Amino acid sequence: MTATETGRRSAASLAGRARVLLFATARTAVGTRSLPWPVPGDGMTVRELVADLARAHPRVAPILAHCRFFHDGVPVTQLDERVRPGEELAIHPPYGGG
Amino acid sequence: MSARLSVRPLSLTAAFRELGDPTLGGVVVFAGRVRADPTPRGSVTALVYEAHRGPAVQALQDLEAEARRRFGAGRTVAWHRVGRVRVGEVAVIVGAACGHRTEAFAATRFLIDRLKRTVPVWKEARERPARRPRPRRSRRPSRSSD
């Protein structure tokens, strides 16, 4: 299989799935740092995705209320933004650097 | 500007060098070290820092730009460790070089205060259980010769 074919297969496997990245307490509550997340072809809003995540992983639900969200590395300012297949939503609990 | 996430130890000397500029007379560098805080079971031995790298570096750069705009800082540094940082090691360095000390202190204070609130970095403590004192062996009563 050529590199191009491998790349095509990887891209195809992403179709219909976004990736959820979890950090700190959110990661501990869910038990993994990265989750593939099924989304319709036209995507779903950040609000819908976060609500689904809370239903699927009830331990993370109380943490989500205090989190910020980053969509493909950019801060989410509107929860109505749509996350589409192949994109990434990062979940940031309150920061604790320094 | 110098924004950095590093798995390697941070150097105060390197930070001071980064702030070097003969036209800037006020230089303040702040370093935050990992403390051996007591915990319910013992004491902290290390902190493990994780970051969302892209947004974290962007946030550090934004902070520096803001410090320059607000305080007229000519040079700034904003460096943070990631990974395991042992007690006594430096976890964060921020600093500013300005024309005079007042702005340099204010800019550096701004950098560290804002960094804690706005940069996607998290820490988790590693701790060592307190040692329990060994139970004292009771001495056998010495035999009396009489």
Side-chain angles (χ1 to χ4, degrees), chain A residues 30-42:
Chain A
V30 173
T32 184
R33 183 182 170 134
S34 175
L35 274 178
W37 203 259
V39 293
D42 63 341

Side-chain angles (χ1 to χ4, degrees), chain B:
Chain B
M1 290 208 295
S2 176
R4 186 182 300 171
L5 289 176
S6 175
V7 293
R8 294 184 180 166
L10 301 178
S11 161
L12 278 166
T13 307
F16 191 75
R17 197 182 310 124
E18 189 74 34
L19 296 169
D21 182 326
T23 67
L24 304 170
V27 181
V28 174
V29 182
F30 170 84
R33 294 191 304 188
V34 174
R35 290 187 306 267
D37 275 347
T39 68
R41 290 185 296 276
S43 66
V44 170
T45 57
L47 295 176
V48 178
Y49 289 93
E50 67 170 319
H52 189 185
R53 182 167 280 277
V57 171
Q58 182 62 55
L60 290 171
Q61 289 171 344
D62 291 348
L63 268 183
E64 291 190 283
E66 183 71 6
R68 289 176 175 224
R69 193 184 62 76
R70 282 194 187 201
F71 305 100
R75 283 176 176 264
T76 51
V77 295
W79 297 347
H80 206 297
R81 281 285 300 274
V82 287
R84 185 184 184 93
V85 185
R86 287 178 294 187
V87 162
E89 290 184 341
V90 173
V92 60
I93 292 178
V94 294
C98 301
H100 301 281
R101 68 184 183 281
T102 305
E103 307 92 275
F105 276 117
T108 304
R109 177 80 191 239
F110 168 84
L111 284 168
I112 188 62
D113 288 350
R114 192 61 76 86
L115 178 151
K116 285 171 167 280
R117 294 205 311 270
T118 65
V119 179
V121 173
W122 300 269
K123 59 179 168 251
E124 191 176 350
R126 295 287 181 266
E127 56 186 274
R128 176 172 49 211
R131 285 185 182 169
R132 289 184 185 168
R134 286 183 179 177
R136 277 184 140 185
R137 286 184 180 173
S138 58
R139 286 187 177 176
R140 289 181 183 173
S142 58
R143 289 180 182 170
S144 156
S145 58
D146 56 358

Side-chain angles (χ1 to χ4, degrees), chain A residues 18 39 43-46 49 71 81-85 87-89:
Chain A
V39 293
M44 65 197 303
T45 67
V46 173
L49 196 158
H71 181 190
E81 268 180 43
R82 297 191 81 76
V83 181
R84 294 183 164 79
E87 296 179 348
E88 175 186 282
L89 185 73

Side-chain angles (χ1 to χ4, degrees), chain A residues 2-94:
Chain A
T2 65
T4 309
E5 285 167 339
T6 307
R8 279 186 195 137
R9 282 187 65 166
S10 303
S13 67
L14 283 175
R17 286 184 175 187
R19 190 159 70 115
V20 176
L21 273 187
L22 300 140
F23 294 91
T25 51
R27 171 174 42 77
T28 305
V30 173
T32 184
R33 183 182 170 134
S34 175
L35 274 178
W37 203 259
V39 293
D42 63 341
M44 65 197 303
T45 67
V46 173
R47 182 182 286 106
E48 290 165 341
L49 196 158
V50 169
D52 279 1
L53 182 67
R55 275 191 290 274
H57 298 275
R59 286 181 61 204
V60 81
I63 297 166
L64 292 172
H66 307 286
C67 288
R68 300 179 207 189
F69 307 105
F70 278 66
H71 181 190
D72 278 348
V74 178
V76 170
T77 54
Q78 299 288 329
L79 294 177
D80 292 331
E81 268 180 43
R82 297 191 81 76
V83 181
R84 294 183 164 79
E87 296 179 348
E88 175 186 282
L89 185 73
I91 305 213
H92 288 188

